[in-house]
Amino acid sequence: MADPDVILARNTERLERISRGEAASRTRARNRERRAASAARRMRRALIVLAAFVLGPLVWGLVVGPIGTTALVLLVLLGAIGIGLSLVWDGDAPGAQTIDAAPLAALPAVTEAWLERKRRDLPLAAGPRLDALGAQLATLDEQLKNVAEPNEVTTDIDRLLKKHLPELVDRYTRVPESQRRADPSLEAALVSGLALAERELARASLKLAEADRDAVMIQG
């Protein structure tokens, strides 16, 4: 007869794998959406610049008079530079602003974009925790848009995302890579800290939805 503890441990591990897989899928989907939105913004900006540099000389020629060859060459060069910059730079993307300056409603999206950029500097073992954090941030992104006034929960979220989480990641990445490889406890501490941040965000999300959950139970 199978040991109940062994069965329970296996089921728990299986549920954790499923949860990690769902979190990773949600995070990848959010990243795809973010990249698609960024590409659309850059393309739209480039088309506006192109239209301005094409229509501008035409209007000038009709209203004022022909422009010289030198001016036309300069316009073409400036137009090419402007279109190139529009296709490369995306200042409207979440994460273009610093986490510290982000308002509460935008903080989850800015933090998620920042974590995605930091992922390449972190160990593979941190990947599942980053995915789970991304899933929690996606949930909070929707919830915080409906928060009218700051409260104790939002203050905790603000402190965690603006201070504790960035400090954990930045301090780890400042340790020389050779020292990180020589001391596995640093990686373990990083993963543990990310897991703790995930749990705190999950707790905050439940707290934010507490009144609505209670209302559903009472009205039901």
Side-chain angles (χ1 to χ4, degrees):
M1 188 176 192
D3 188 341
D5 291 336
V6 174
I7 295 175
L8 179 61
R10 289 176 179 173
N11 288 336
T12 301
E13 183 183 355
R14 187 178 299 112
L15 289 173
E16 288 179 352
R17 285 200 304 269
I18 293 172
S19 178
R20 288 196 297 268
E22 291 176 349
S25 297
R26 289 181 63 186
T27 301
R28 284 195 295 268
R30 293 264 298 177
N31 289 336
R32 286 195 297 270
E33 291 173 2
R34 189 183 298 113
R35 286 193 293 268
S38 176
R41 283 192 298 268
R42 292 197 301 269
M43 183 60 67
R44 184 166 57 249
R45 192 177 292 115
L47 290 175
I48 292 173
V49 172
L50 176 62
F53 277 95
V54 170
L55 295 177
L58 292 178
V59 173
W60 180 274
L62 291 174
V63 175
V64 179
I67 62 174
T69 304
T70 303
L72 182 61
V73 171
L74 288 175
L75 281 174
V76 171
L77 290 175
L78 289 174
I81 294 172
I83 292 172
L85 291 175
S86 299
L87 291 173
V88 172
W89 181 75
D90 187 11
D92 297 332
Q97 59 190 135
T98 62
I99 293 178
D100 189 59
L104 181 64
L107 187 54
V110 173
T111 304
E112 189 179 357
W114 178 79
L115 282 174
E116 190 59 29
R117 292 199 304 272
K118 288 289 186 178
R119 182 185 287 262
R120 66 175 68 95
D121 300 323
L122 301 178
L124 291 177
R129 297 274 67 88
L130 293 174
D131 292 337
L133 271 171
Q136 291 295 342
L137 288 168
T139 301
L140 283 171
D141 189 40
E142 297 297 326
Q143 290 181 285
L144 291 178
K145 290 175 182 176
N146 299 319
V147 175
E149 296 291 337
N151 53 55
E152 183 180 348
V153 179
T154 60
T155 300
D156 290 341
I157 294 172
D158 191 84
R159 186 185 303 111
L160 174 62
L161 297 185
K162 287 187 176 182
K163 184 177 188 297
H164 298 305
L165 182 60
E167 282 186 0
L168 171 67
V169 174
D170 286 339
R171 286 186 180 277
Y172 176 84
T173 56
R174 286 204 296 266
V175 176
E177 187 175 354
S178 59
Q179 296 180 23
R180 284 185 249 156
R181 287 198 302 265
D183 188 358
S185 64
L186 290 172
E187 180 178 309
L190 171 71
V191 173
S192 177
L194 294 175
L196 178 59
E198 177 205 344
R199 290 196 297 272
E200 288 299 309
L201 291 180
R203 182 191 62 80
S205 178
L206 288 172
K207 195 71 175 176
L208 288 174
E210 185 176 39
D212 291 327
R213 291 201 313 273
D214 291 345
V216 170
M217 295 302 296
I218 293 170
Q219 294 174 5

